[in-house]
Amino acid sequence: MKHQKVISVLLAAAISTAAILPASVYAIAKGDLNKDNVISADDLTLLQNYVLGKAELDQSQSEAADINGDGAVNSFDVSALRKLILTTPRSLKFKAVTDRIQSGFTDALKKLDAQAGGTVVGSQEELKKALSPYFSEAVVKTYTDKYTDSFFKDSVLMIKPVYFDPEAYKVKTPVVKAPCGCTSAYAGTYVPSEAVTEYMNIRKAHDFNSESLGKILPGQKFTITYSDGTYGHVNINGVTGYVNMAYVTKIAEPDAKYTAYPDVKIDSVNYKDSKVTVSASEFHSEDPIGFAAAVIAQAVVLRKDYYATETKWTVSTTAPPPTTTTTTTTCPYPMAKEKLDNVGWDLQKAFNASVIPYYGPADFPKDDKTTMQWYADYGFTNGKGNCYVMAAMFCEMAKLLGYDAHQISGRVPLKAGGYGPHSWVEITFEGTTYVCDPDFTEETKRNGYMITYGQSGTWIYQKDTVMS
């Protein structure tokens, strides 16, 4: 106490008489010397420099500096301002950084609650201790190299790891059946098995004795899109064919698609009652930036502003957006789903169910100004309709089966001459566009399923617009 008294006398001697304030004049915002609406270490530094004769204060600053209200600005106000800082709630200035981590995290992180695991660290050793339970040595080293001892001389680091379960965001892709009967259940990236020492053949058909179209060398990666477990569909270096599944090894599943790309942003850092609360929130990026299962959110605060005895993180979370699948009540084509449930979830069966008796009175729509849904619902309800109705029915069912299908509005030649309005379905499959025309089958009793433009024995199609 004696030491403090001596300093006070010395500092008081340095104060000019201009700092002696009338008892009736006091600043409204006591302690906010720099007028930034925040009482912080910056104000304390300014006050200390003034008392030491290193800075000047204007009239309003002098009023704000008389913390204890005794009409003088001196070292007693320095002590009072320090106490005021400790008891005044405020927002802290911070620098936010969020890193997305693709790998290198442990099972402990997967079990970590969104509100747990956040802490404040003031040294490399504390940082290492905070991250080690959740991340590999390599990841931890990345951060101890980033935040060195020189960094911690001036700053503290508030850090929070968060884990996002990929399965909660992954799109559930239905198994799709190819026209040949193979399914997408085997889709993925493959290499020839160890039994292949020289090469393996790409066959023209699902047959060991069929023509060889090309070769795949040991170690060469390729993609299989469909298979029946015996032969798989491949397209490699422009060659499309089939490989014997007995001589391949799967090394990766198809690239996953996600309903959202979650991340974390830091919204605020607030001080109150010797505690700091870091408020963060989960958000979903609008851009497909690649799914990252983990993030490390970091808030940097200057050490001189950090008067807290503890730090707490709060992270507001949001559930991933719902997905629409063919098995939910949110199915976009409920009548098409009901038809598939009855005839079987198969593309050929869907086509056959779309070949219905032709019905087209004079006032019946014959163009793309009526929606695909209207045409399809008419056919599912009445069991008859024109070419637009049949095409719409099949297009909806094909979409539910997972195919890249579109209803087309166009024209075909008429026996009486000229062209008449017509509608059919395009399906793009393994790089080839096929025509599926139920009305062609209904009128000619010939195959209109998975034919190609210009194919002999079919109609000459002139495409005008895509309806769906």
Side-chain angles (χ1 to χ4, degrees):
M1 292 296 295
K2 182 178 181 181
H3 183 61
Q4 289 183 353
K5 266 191 174 181
V6 172
I7 293 178
S8 297
V9 171
L10 292 174
L11 293 177
I15 300 175
S16 67
T17 57
I20 307 300
L21 307 176
S24 61
V25 181
Y26 295 105
I28 296 176
K30 292 291 186 181
D32 185 16
L33 275 65
N34 63 2
K35 305 177 185 180
D36 64 354
N37 297 317
V38 178
I39 300 174
S40 67
D42 291 335
D43 300 301
L44 182 62
T45 299
L46 181 55
L47 178 57
Q48 288 173 326
N49 287 336
Y50 172 77
V51 172
L52 292 170
K54 297 180 179 180
E56 295 294 332
L57 300 178
D58 61 25
Q59 179 67 21
S60 62
Q61 288 176 314
S62 296
E63 295 172 3
D66 183 19
I67 310 300
N68 62 5
D70 63 0
V73 178
N74 53 35
S75 61
F76 291 111
D77 295 300
V78 173
S79 178
L81 180 54
R82 187 174 287 111
K83 292 179 181 178
L84 187 61
I85 291 173
L86 291 173
T87 57
T88 303
R90 64 189 184 280
S91 296
L92 300 184
K93 296 178 181 178
F94 65 93
K95 177 183 178 182
V97 180
T98 301
D99 294 325
R100 299 163 56 81
I101 308 296
Q102 299 286 2
S103 60
F105 43 83
T106 68
D107 288 338
L109 180 66
K110 298 178 183 179
K111 301 174 184 177
L112 184 66
D113 183 83
Q115 309 306 325
T119 187
V120 60
V121 294
S123 67
Q124 276 188 318
E125 192 60 34
E126 291 178 3
L127 177 60
K128 182 177 181 181
K129 183 178 178 181
L131 294 180
S132 292
Y134 308 115
F135 298 98
S136 66
E137 290 184 10
V139 173
V140 174
K141 186 177 185 303
T142 298
Y143 283 88
T144 54
D145 288 346
K146 177 180 180 181
Y147 297 111
T148 62
D149 287 335
S150 60
F151 166 85
F152 288 110
K153 287 180 180 179
D154 300 317
S155 305
V156 294
L157 178 66
M158 303 168 190
I159 196 160
K160 173 74 180 79
V162 180
Y163 176 76
F164 299 110
D165 182 6
E167 293 302 319
Y169 295 87
K170 192 176 293 184
V171 175
K172 305 299 188 274
T173 305
V175 174
V176 176
K177 184 179 288 188
C180 61
C182 294
T183 76
S184 61
Y186 295 86
T189 302
Y190 290 75
V191 294
S193 67
E194 294 182 355
V196 179
T197 57
E198 295 185 15
Y199 62 86
M200 64 183 302
N201 287 299
I202 303 173
R203 299 291 178 182
K204 186 175 183 180
H206 300 67
D207 185 351
F208 177 79
N209 295 314
S210 68
E211 178 186 350
S212 175
L213 303 177
K215 300 175 180 179
I216 300 177
L217 303 178
Q220 190 172 3
K221 296 180 182 179
F222 56 94
T223 299
I224 289 179
T225 51
Y226 297 87
S227 176
D228 58 1
T230 303
Y231 279 89
H233 297 221
V234 300
N235 186 314
I236 181 171
N237 296 331
V239 178
T240 299
Y242 307 89
V243 294
N244 192 327
M245 295 293 286
Y247 296 97
V248 300
T249 300
K250 192 174 191 178
I251 61 172
E253 296 294 331
D255 291 339
K257 295 182 179 179
Y258 297 93
T259 60
Y261 298 88
D263 211 330
V264 168
K265 64 178 178 180
I266 300 173
D267 300 312
S268 63
V269 179
N270 295 310
Y271 172 91
K272 183 180 181 180
D273 299 331
S274 298
K275 298 179 182 178
V276 164
T277 299
V278 184
S279 297
S281 57
E282 174 189 337
F283 76 100
H284 296 161
S285 172
E286 296 180 357
D287 299 319
I289 54 180
F291 191 91
V295 299
I296 299 180
Q298 306 138 67
V300 178
V301 174
L302 291 176
R303 185 177 287 274
K304 66 185 180 68
D305 286 333
Y306 185 78
Y307 290 88
T309 56
E310 64 177 283
T311 299
K312 178 183 178 182
W313 280 77
T314 62
V315 181
S316 61
T317 58
T318 57
T323 58
T324 300
T325 67
T326 58
T327 58
T328 68
T329 56
T330 56
C331 173
Y333 309 125
M335 298 187 75
K337 176 183 179 299
E338 183 179 355
K339 177 63 72 172
L340 286 172
D341 287 340
N342 291 331
V343 303
W345 286 70
D346 177 84
L347 192 66
Q348 178 76 66
K349 293 178 180 178
F351 180 84
N352 294 340
S354 305
V355 181
I356 56 178
Y358 188 89
Y359 174 73
D363 59 349
F364 202 79
K366 295 186 179 63
D367 55 38
D368 59 351
K369 293 182 176 62
T370 303
T371 66
M372 180 182 74
Q373 184 99 36
W374 186 93
Y375 283 117
D377 287 352
Y378 183 95
F380 288 127
T381 301
N382 298 288
K384 60 183 180 179
N386 65 4
C387 58
Y388 282 85
V389 170
M390 298 183 216
M393 292 171 63
F394 176 66
C395 191
E396 284 193 355
M397 289 190 283
K399 284 178 176 291
L400 291 185
L401 287 167
Y403 287 89
D404 182 16
H406 302 277
Q407 183 177 359
I408 306 301
S409 179
R411 294 159 293 135
V412 293
L414 301 176
K415 289 184 178 179
Y419 281 79
H422 187 60
S423 183
W424 62 94
V425 175
E426 280 185 357
I427 287 184
T428 301
F429 180 76
E430 291 192 342
T432 301
T433 298
Y434 294 91
V435 171
C436 293
D437 189 347
D439 181 57
F440 175 81
T441 296
E442 198 279 334
E443 290 194 41
T444 68
K445 311 307 177 188
R446 302 175 69 177
N447 176 47
Y449 174 70
M450 299 297 277
I451 60 180
T452 57
Y453 285 109
Q455 182 174 323
S456 176
T458 64
W459 288 335
I460 301 173
Y461 295 90
Q462 297 291 328
K463 181 167 69 173
D464 294 331
T465 59
V466 178
M467 292 181 60
S468 64

